[in-house]
Amino acid sequence: MFKLWFSLFLTTLIFQVQKFAVCEREQIPTPPLPVLPLPSYSQLKWQQRELIMFFHFGVNTFTDSEWGTGNENPAIFNPVGLDTNQWVSTAVEAGVSLVILTAKHHDGFCLWPSKYTDHSVAGSPWKNGHGDVVQELVNAAKARGVDVGLYLSPWDRHDRRYGHDLQYNEYYLAQLHELLSRYGDVREIWFDGAKGSNAPNMSYYFTDWFAMVKELQSSINVFSDAGPDVRWVGNEKGFAGSTCWSTINRSSLSIGDGSIVGYLNTGDPKGTDWLPAECDVSIRKGWFWHKSQSPKKLSDLLDIYYNSVGRNCVLLLNVPPNTTGLISESDVQRLKEFRNAIDTIFSTNLAENCFLIRASSQRGGKGGGFGPENVLDSDHLWTYWAPGDHQDDQWIEIIGTDGGLRFNVVRIQEAIGLGQRIKRHEIYVDGKLVAKGSTVGYKKLHRLESGVVHGHVVRIKIKESKAVPLISSIGLHFDPYWHPKNVQ
Ligand SMILES: *[C@@H]1O[C@H](CO)[C@@H](O)[C@H](O)[C@H]1NC(C)=O
Ligand SMILES: *[C@@H]1O[C@H](CO)[C@@H](O)[C@H](O)[C@H]1NC(C)=O
Ligand SMILES: *[C@@H]1O[C@H](CO)[C@@H](O)[C@H](O)[C@H]1NC(C)=O
């Protein structure tokens, strides 16, 4: 009996002391725990780029083909006016901070003078065999503060070692070593499983390749069907799933496996690995330049943007240099229109002039640092609105001034630095449902099917979430290019 009494007394005493300590110094509410898995530092940097550019260039540019045979004569490669400064300027004007070059495509022709083959620029008339496209791109990019990535095709239709596992893997690793040690920082390396149906059987030693990549470049992201840092989105249309998790189970993925494209497209809410998707698509029909082709319409590029960047992905847009060695004027112009459209739509956030912003609850109470006003600042990662304890059916509301709010796009961003959480959400204007969706992730863009709405109260409801939802940014925008088909 005494023992019980004593322990009760002790507990009360400890409680009183704790309470006293709280009174002594106001406790600042802490951020909530993360929900694993989390992005790595390099994955976060990659995600924030939003738009990156691919340059498909090589012997195919000169033979008007998409897949070379491997029997091309290096003598056909002669881009007399090649100017990588023009490529990089085009990228910079499009708002791109990372450009990726096809250092070697399936035909095996190398755009740098590799020590291990003569099937390269060294055997071409361009600069009398003294040129190096990789070096020229790296120089031009460095001068403008743009980062560089490289693609080295695993499938090689030229080299005789292809089909002999050991010899070819050694050859491939030797070339990888050249590319990742000669040219300074490389921020992304691209591997794919593309291969003709008649190609010889070959096992790629991916484990060795990835280990060597990470050894040579500390901040690189490795792209492939199966990561390990960035995954393929499962198609070449530039469209992510309307549900798109950055999480997935890597153990369920293998490179070149056609049966997983659906899984790659949507990711997995239960996924144990952070492996966000990259949407690769070409500005033209083909990946390489063809005289007969022209760039996609602006409205098509905007559809791609909303379905990639607007679905929690990074858009990898291919822009192929022509036989002169320059990006064609028509592509340059279309990219200017594209960037101008994105800036027109998103440079103004109508929510910023609201009368009031409020929420169902907030972590740590008023003044706790997690209030709804955080979604209107310029930090889209580490300042956010966090509701109180329970995770479902929380809401945040933007109330317009007298004139109301007129918009047709809603942007929502999650604080993904603490994990991707939201599973289901809805948007109401003056009590009327105008849009609903599943995942949000780094950025979710809703183009309203009803067209422009005009109202006073915009409420975003988080219906379901893996843990308390953390919203880092909200935007209400007007897109003058958006004309939904079912609306007059
Ligand atoms: C590759 O290997 C499979 C089974 O091991 C065999 O059926 C197929 O004919 C081979 N293909 C080639 C092109 O050698
Ligand atoms: C992914 O892994 C998790 C944890 O092991 C598991 O619960 C989930 O079912 C897996 N997803 C699929 C599609 O198998
Ligand atoms: C390549 O593009 C440049 C820039 O627009 C242009 O001057 C040149 O004529 C083009 N080359 C070909 C073969 O179309």
Side-chain angles (χ1 to χ4, degrees), residues 42 110 154 350 378 390:
S42 300
C110 300
L350 300 158
S378 59
H390 73 109

Side-chain angles (χ1 to χ4, degrees), residues 53-62 77 79 81-84 86-88 90 100-102 111 133 137 282-284 286-291 317-329 331-332:
M53 199 172 274
F54 220 155
F55 296 130
H56 272 66
F57 188 58
V59 284
N60 294 343
T61 311
F62 297 85
F77 184 83
L82 185 131
D83 181 6
T84 52
Q86 189 249 12
W87 305 6
V88 172
T90 304
I100 304 180
L101 173 68
T102 53
L111 292 182
V133 185
L137 180 64
S282 185
I283 194 169
R284 293 160 168 238
W287 290 92
F288 286 88
W289 179 82
H290 305 285
K291 199 179 175 55
L317 183 62
N318 177 65
V319 181
N322 64 25
T323 49
T324 310
L326 294 169
I327 293 171
S328 307
E329 193 51 35
D331 300 78
V332 172

Side-chain angles (χ1 to χ4, degrees), residues 241-257:
S242 56
T243 293
C244 189
W245 291 94
S246 292
T247 52
I248 202 163
N249 291 337
R250 274 200 70 204
S251 57
S252 306
L253 307 177
S254 61
I255 300 175
D257 174 1

